[in-house]
Amino acid sequence: MLEQIIKMKEQGLTTKQIAAQLDTTEGKIKYAWTKYRKSLTEQPSAEAPKVKSKTVKQTKKSTAPVLDVVPSVQVMPSLERDAFGMATHYEDDILHAIVQSPTALYVYWELSELSKQLLETHYHTSFDSFRKELRVIDVTLVDYEQGQANRTYQFELPEMTNAWFVRPVTPNTTYIIEWGIQTIDGDFVPVLRSKPVETPRDEAVTDGRFAEVVQHWQYGEVEQPEWVEVLRPYSYFDRVR
Amino acid sequence: MRKGYFSLVLHAHLPYIRHEEAHRLEERWMYEAISETYIPLLWEVDRLSRPLGWTVSISPPVIEMLADPLIQERYIEHIEDTLRLINQELERDLDQKERDALMFYQDRYHDLLNTFLHWEKDLNRAFRHYKEQGYLDLITCTATHGFSPHMLSEQAARSEIQTGLNCFERHYGFRPSGLWMPECAYTPGLDRILYEEGIRYTFVDEHSILNADPSPAHGIGAPVYSPHGVALFPRDQIISGKIWSSVIGYPGHPDYREFYRDLAYDREWDQIAEFMHPEGLRYDTGLKLHRVTGETDQKDYYVRDWAWQRTSEHAADFAQALGEHLDTYQAQDFPPFLVTAPFDAELFGHWWFEGPDFLGKAMERLEDQEIESISPATFLERHFQDIDTVHVAMGTWGRKGYAEVWINERNDWMIRHLHQLEKRLAGVVARNRHQDALTVKAKRQLIREYLLAVSSDWPFILDGQTTAQYAANRFREHVLRFEETERRLDAEELTMEWLDDRYREYPFLQDTDIEPDVFLTAHDYYVAVKREKSWNTDAILLFVRQYDTSERPAENLAKRLAAAGENVYVVTEHAEAYRLQDGVHVYGVQVSGLPLVQTYNQLAALNLAFLRQAQALSKIVDFQVVHNFNMDTASAAQAFSKVKNIPLVSNVYDLESERSPDRSGGLVVAIKRLEGDALRHSSVVYLEREESRHGVEQEYHVEKKPLRFEENLEKPYQHVTNPKKNG
């Protein structure tokens, strides 16, 4: 069974899916998998030769496929440091929104050199000259990927900001935040986008939107819960397969 | 028996403040907690010697410090010093009441020492003993009390939970089914991780339950199930407030000990210098000789008998009030009404000196009132079928009920660093899948540093602005230690000795507590094992808006290159995120979100999407050339080539000058400018049609002579030259 489990894990199947396919319980799958993972850890070093994790230029077209490790090309980049030795900026494109209260979100962002370069190239102007804005989008129960939104508003950001407390926002609402530039023709071009974030309720429910979806989930009618889960799987290789 | 239940939950936590060097002020927090809270609570448990229904949560940092021989030895020194100070004080000419108060402390510190030695200096043994006797229930908390709702990834939250449980199990020999979530913080999705880690109940504040959707039938009179099946017990604020409110709570009674008046500040420096910090700092001795004495600055001396007497009265009052409260809800069935009263353990003893006495006596009075004291675990055993399932929103027991304490203008600078560590950890475990002992140890050390950095105590302290320097320093220290460890791992400069030295500086958690791949996802695992190593070097990045169309033979070229052994990655506009087709990795991107009005801005959005995909790929793929197959993606290709310093190759089919020969205006000018820039920055320009040559050479002023694509199809990159830096 272990062999099958490993195979399916490698295909990216969840424990639940594997259990269904092998007609057994999730618990058994988990146990076998954990045991297997442990056995890997306990291997003496002689059996598992170390693979260089650095960027090593390999001879091209090395014939033997090594189904072992793909070393990352990118290790820690050298970064600018402040007086305490902390990085002042990570070479990253990220915008993350977190809940401070039912009426306030904290948003921080980082823009990589690549993105800045693209904007400068595309608009043929210096990065400093863009008007930077934050757009707050209410996406409660709609599909923003498809261009749906309940309402949006946006505001200009002062230069040199990399974080903002967005206030006020509405409780019990799902938001997506975008950092972008206002072009001279009046469009807002989003450059960074947050994952959806849900503001908590701050009063007792009158017309609840979760009763039904919780029930769907509870009775196993849906594969994924139909609400935003703030802690969701994140992968370093986010979009790389 | 009265109908209804009472459940007391005490959460013992301090940040990990153990330091190798002596005289760190913060280490005294631990001594104070032992002397004032942990041992006095154990005294009450021992005095009553019967099942109390109490649940005590001991956080991993506290467990580890209690078990630490260095802390144990220093605690004994601390007690002995205090006893010497008391003796020295007693030799002075003192007011009788002051003398009496000191005599009380003299006895008390002897008792503390005896108890500590009785348990062979390890109070974990004591807690474990009383748990095994069935007198109390024990649970724990996450590894370092990190604030889960603000973590970026599921893996980070899981590492805190799993590691905390492992640590507890190592010391206590079992895995609890309940877990105290730091700050009673809950957020949707956290319950799934808890459930998967074997946790069946935790605690939230009462507004989290009152605002649940749908509204639970019993309000805060019963726990609820979260959607993923974890029971959430609500803090009852009325009953908790009865004990602990600053207005109506018991601890403010004039007979109780005054927390803020310490002997250290009542003496001349010379009189106490010997017992103070060697660098001349004055700090609390723990000998607080005064009582609250009402709303006045003039404090009277502490009279132990009065305080003791007062706890009896307050315990009786509390039991009666609780009885009445339960009677109000006696109509509730399935399940009967439950009052859950969770507190920080240190409130009893440290802040309210007489708190442990009060708790012990309150338990006796509850018996008089026929109130059953029950642990959440027992409650669930009896009533698991009678609980509603609801959606609970993010909430905490902190100021105003949400996250204001842990993210505000004083501490928000921390969060991005923590998220970076999470991302780095995911990267480290994914690219270091090999399991040699050194790497595994390094991964564990990295996780250890992350855990020590993510402690909610640091932003909490910065919010309160007391000892803020220490908190900020500790936070930065662990981030920098993480980076140094990671750097050495990547550079292959690590040794076992170096890692051991690092560990010795903060010997928190044993290696066996930390699953080295806790930050690995099934997805990362897939990425790491299913690809051939050679795939990620000297690769070709092909940007093309439409990949498999007949008039744009990008597909033919990519296939041909792949067949010849090249690593070809295509980024194209497509609904399918990824496919491996004829040996070519084809990544589809699409622009999503609100539609843009202007064509040129739509193009910008498309290029951003292309760039993001290329950026993600470049984390694991080393590109040697970027090939722009049509001008639509010129800005992404140019930016990528420039910043990554790799050559750009462009194909020309038609140009704006051909498409719109008679048009002018902003858009045409802008597109032409963009095309011209890209062509001029290209190392090689290929023409698909000879008709384009004139346009490229004349209108775009490209100095390099464009080549015919067809003629160079077999070796399209033979003419590529490396661009100069910033060229």
Side-chain angles (χ1 to χ4, degrees), chain B residues 449-469:
Chain B
E449 300 292 358
Y450 166 72
L451 294 175
L452 287 166
V454 81
S455 162
S456 69
D457 300 291
W458 313 140
F460 176 86
I461 292 171
L462 285 178
D463 172 68
Q465 292 287 298
T466 53
T467 61
Q469 202 56 47

Side-chain angles (χ1 to χ4, degrees), chain B residues 539-556:
Chain B
I540 291 151
L541 177 62
L542 209 62
F543 280 136
V544 56
R545 192 163 182 181
Q546 290 160 312
Y547 177 58
D548 32 19
T549 55
S550 54
E551 74 272 23
R552 302 267 195 277
E555 191 185 2
N556 286 340

Side-chain angles (χ1 to χ4, degrees), chain B residues 70-240:
Chain B
L70 186 77
I71 299 252
Q72 292 169 356
E73 287 312 315
R74 285 184 186 164
Y75 178 70
I76 290 178
E77 282 172 32
H78 165 76
I79 296 285
E80 286 170 347
D81 279 352
T82 308
L83 281 167
R84 277 198 303 119
L85 172 60
I86 292 170
N87 288 337
Q88 180 184 301
E89 284 288 316
L90 286 173
E91 282 167 18
R92 300 175 53 221
D93 187 19
L94 296 172
D95 184 292
Q96 186 57 40
K97 279 186 173 168
E98 190 174 17
R99 178 171 299 276
D100 288 347
L102 275 164
M103 299 282 281
F104 158 70
Y105 278 112
Q106 191 177 38
D107 286 349
R108 191 170 176 97
Y109 275 85
H110 277 300
D111 291 347
L112 289 170
L113 188 58
N114 287 339
T115 303
F116 196 68
L117 293 173
H118 171 79
W119 295 110
E120 293 174 342
K121 306 175 200 171
D122 182 2
L123 294 184
N124 289 316
R125 292 175 51 134
F127 282 108
R128 187 171 171 163
H129 169 78
Y130 294 118
K131 152 77 186 170
E132 283 164 2
Q133 292 293 310
Y135 297 168
L136 44 80
D137 200 2
L138 287 182
I139 61 172
T140 188
C141 173
T142 68
T144 55
H145 221 258
F147 191 76
S148 317
H150 288 176
M151 289 172 189
L152 182 66
S153 64
E154 177 187 319
Q155 287 93 318
R158 189 183 300 279
S159 73
E160 271 278 286
I161 292 166
Q162 197 185 73
T163 310
L165 286 168
N166 290 347
C167 172
F168 180 85
E169 189 178 9
R170 174 164 53 84
H171 288 278
Y172 284 90
F174 75 102
R175 244 175 146 75
S177 61
L179 191 70
W180 179 280
M181 286 313 290
E183 323 300 353
C184 290
Y186 176 83
T187 197
L190 186 64
D191 54 329
R192 187 167 61 76
I193 306 166
L194 287 169
Y195 193 87
E196 287 173 359
E197 295 300 327
I199 295 305
R200 294 296 174 262
Y201 67 91
T202 187
F203 304 90
V204 293
D205 205 349
E206 85 176 17
H207 63 283
S208 292
I209 300 301
L210 292 175
N211 300 342
D213 182 2
S215 285
H218 300 310
I220 57 154
V224 297
Y225 285 128
S226 72
H228 290 283
V230 175
L232 308 175
F233 285 80
R235 174 167 79 136
D236 186 316
Q237 288 212 14
I238 294 181
I239 292 303
S240 301

Side-chain angles (χ1 to χ4, degrees), chain A residues 10 30 33 36-37 40-41 48 50-54 57-58 60-62 65-76 79 81 84-87 90 92-94 96 98-102 106 108-110 112 114-115 117-118 121-124 135 144-145 147 149 152 162-163 165 167 183 185 187-193 198 200-205 208-211 214 217-218 227-237 239-241, chain B residues 148 150-155 187-190 196 210-214 227-228 389 391 393-394 402-404 407-409 412 415-417 419-420 423-424 426-427 430-432 434-435 439 476 480 483 486 489-490 492 515 517 521 523-529 531-534 536 538 564-566 577 587 592-594 596-598 600-601 603-604 607-609 611-613 615-616 619-622 635-636 638-640 642-643 673-674 677:
Chain A
E10 287 174 3
K30 224 187 241 165
W33 180 245
Y36 166 65
R37 293 273 292 270
L40 285 181
T41 320
K50 186 167 182 211
V51 179
K52 289 200 168 194
S53 59
K54 279 199 302 185
K57 286 270 178 192
Q58 290 172 8
K60 219 160 114 188
K61 293 167 216 130
S62 60
V66 185
L67 290 177
D68 182 13
V69 177
V70 179
S72 166
V73 167
Q74 227 181 36
V75 295
M76 195 175 68
L79 301 162
R81 302 280 162 175
F84 300 100
M86 301 286 279
Y90 294 94
D92 197 7
D93 279 311
I94 185 174
H96 193 65
I98 64 177
V99 169
Q100 189 202 33
S101 78
Y106 174 72
Y108 78 84
W109 57 89
E110 303 245 344
S112 71
L114 263 175
S115 297
Q117 182 64 49
L118 183 142
T121 305
H122 195 83
Y123 289 102
H124 214 82
R135 178 154 77 180
Y144 184 67
E145 295 280 305
T152 73
N162 62 1
F165 285 93
R167 308 181 175 104
T183 60
D185 41 36
D187 261 1
F188 172 85
V189 177
V191 179
L192 300 167
R193 179 180 299 165
E198 201 172 79
R201 291 177 291 274
D202 63 352
E203 56 184 17
V205 169
R209 64 182 166 107
F210 287 98
V214 167
W217 172 250
Q218 200 183 346
W227 60 84
V228 172
E229 295 198 330
V230 180
L231 293 162
R232 287 168 310 148
Y234 167 83
S235 163
Y236 181 66
F237 298 109
R239 293 133 52 104
V240 178
R241 262 167 278 257
Chain B
S148 317
H150 288 176
M151 289 172 189
L152 182 66
S153 64
E154 177 187 319
Q155 287 93 318
T187 197
L190 186 64
E196 287 173 359
L210 292 175
N211 300 342
D213 182 2
H228 290 283
T389 300
H391 180 272
M394 185 267 177
Y402 300 94
E404 281 189 20
I407 188 84
N408 57 51
E409 282 82 351
D412 71 299
I415 197 99
R416 69 179 70 224
H417 298 296
H419 289 174
Q420 277 297 323
K423 294 177 88 169
R424 300 260 195 88
R431 68 176 185 260
N432 291 288
H434 49 299
Q435 302 286 344
T439 309
R476 292 192 190 102
L480 295 175
E483 289 186 332
E486 187 196 19
L489 175 66
D490 283 332
E492 299 188 56
E515 154 67 46
D517 285 339
T521 62
H523 180 247
D524 290 327
Y525 183 76
Y526 170 76
V527 169
V529 297
R531 294 156 51 94
E532 292 175 26
K533 249 193 236 174
S534 56
N536 75 333
D538 282 341
E566 298 283 357
Y587 288 86
S592 62
L594 290 174
L596 284 151
V597 180
Q598 304 293 341
Y600 198 71
N601 299 334
L603 211 52
N607 275 276
L608 276 166
L611 190 74
R612 291 283 188 272
Q613 184 59 65
Q615 206 173 3
K619 286 177 183 165
I620 54 163
V621 181
D622 181 19
S635 35
Q638 251 197 100
F640 196 78
K642 192 168 179 186
V643 173
R673 189 173 58 203
L674 190 57
D677 273 352

Side-chain angles (χ1 to χ4, degrees), chain A:
Chain A
M1 189 168 82
L2 183 62
E3 240 177 67
Q4 286 169 296
I5 296 175
I6 295 170
K7 208 171 148 198
M8 285 191 242
K9 274 274 181 190
E10 287 174 3
Q11 288 164 354
L13 267 63
T14 64
T15 311
K16 200 172 171 181
Q17 289 165 327
I18 298 173
Q21 289 215 9
L22 296 180
D23 198 24
T24 179
T25 63
E26 280 184 60
K28 281 185 184 160
I29 302 292
K30 224 187 241 165
Y31 177 76
W33 180 245
T34 314
K35 211 171 144 193
Y36 166 65
R37 293 273 292 270
K38 268 206 179 121
S39 75
L40 285 181
T41 320
E42 284 152 11
Q43 265 179 18
S45 55
E47 285 173 33
K50 186 167 182 211
V51 179
K52 289 200 168 194
S53 59
K54 279 199 302 185
T55 313
V56 182
K57 286 270 178 192
Q58 290 172 8
T59 348
K60 219 160 114 188
K61 293 167 216 130
S62 60
T63 43
V66 185
L67 290 177
D68 182 13
V69 177
V70 179
S72 166
V73 167
Q74 227 181 36
V75 295
M76 195 175 68
S78 64
L79 301 162
E80 237 177 84
R81 302 280 162 175
D82 67 12
F84 300 100
M86 301 286 279
T88 52
H89 175 90
Y90 294 94
E91 201 42 52
D92 197 7
D93 279 311
I94 185 174
L95 182 138
H96 193 65
I98 64 177
V99 169
Q100 189 202 33
S101 78
T103 54
L105 296 174
Y106 174 72
V107 182
Y108 78 84
W109 57 89
E110 303 245 344
L111 197 64
S112 71
E113 200 47 50
L114 263 175
S115 297
K116 286 183 189 166
Q117 182 64 49
L118 183 142
L119 292 173
E120 293 194 338
T121 305
H122 195 83
Y123 289 102
H124 214 82
T125 181
S126 74
F127 185 74
D128 295 341
S129 65
F130 290 118
R131 176 186 155 109
K132 286 100 180 167
E133 293 188 343
L134 218 53
R135 178 154 77 180
V136 183
I137 309 153
D138 172 353
V139 297
T140 312
L141 300 172
V142 299
D143 187 353
Y144 184 67
E145 295 280 305
Q146 300 299 321
Q148 299 169 11
N150 299 318
R151 59 209 156 119
T152 73
Y153 73 92
Q154 61 207 55
F155 54 90
E156 186 176 0
L157 292 165
E159 277 301 308
M160 310 295 286
T161 45
N162 62 1
W164 204 262
F165 285 93
V166 179
R167 308 181 175 104
V169 288
T170 313
N172 201 20
T173 303
T174 311
Y175 286 99
I176 282 177
I177 312 290
E178 289 176 336
W179 182 98
I181 54 165
Q182 171 100 60
T183 60
I184 44 170
D185 41 36
D187 261 1
F188 172 85
V189 177
V191 179
L192 300 167
R193 179 180 299 165
S194 76
K195 288 178 177 174
V197 59
E198 201 172 79
T199 50
R201 291 177 291 274
D202 63 352
E203 56 184 17
V205 169
T206 46
D207 188 19
R209 64 182 166 107
F210 287 98
E212 214 172 310
V213 298
V214 167
Q215 208 173 37
H216 288 162
W217 172 250
Q218 200 183 346
Y219 294 108
E221 293 162 17
V222 284
E223 279 283 308
Q224 294 291 321
E226 301 159 86
W227 60 84
V228 172
E229 295 198 330
V230 180
L231 293 162
R232 287 168 310 148
Y234 167 83
S235 163
Y236 181 66
F237 298 109
D238 233 348
R239 293 133 52 104
V240 178
R241 262 167 278 257

Side-chain angles (χ1 to χ4, degrees), chain B residues 626-647:
Chain B
V626 50
H627 190 154
N628 186 36
F629 230 76
N630 61 325
M631 285 295 128
D632 288 350
T633 49
S635 35
Q638 251 197 100
F640 196 78
S641 149
K642 192 168 179 186
V643 173
K644 299 281 180 183
N645 201 31
I646 53 173

Side-chain angles (χ1 to χ4, degrees), chain B residues 27-86:
Chain B
E27 214 165 80
R28 299 179 64 87
W29 302 347
M30 187 64 193
Y31 310 150
E32 287 167 14
I34 294 175
S35 299
E36 294 170 346
T37 298
Y38 306 154
I39 290 180
L41 280 173
L42 289 165
W43 283 340
E44 287 305 308
V45 175
D46 191 69
R47 182 176 73 78
L48 294 164
S49 283
R50 53 183 176 265
L52 297 171
W54 293 4
T55 299
V56 179
S57 153
I58 310 184
S59 78
V62 170
I63 295 174
E64 286 281 84
M65 288 192 287
L66 286 178
D68 192 319
L70 186 77
I71 299 252
Q72 292 169 356
E73 287 312 315
R74 285 184 186 164
Y75 178 70
I76 290 178
E77 282 172 32
H78 165 76
I79 296 285
E80 286 170 347
D81 279 352
T82 308
L83 281 167
R84 277 198 303 119
L85 172 60
I86 292 170

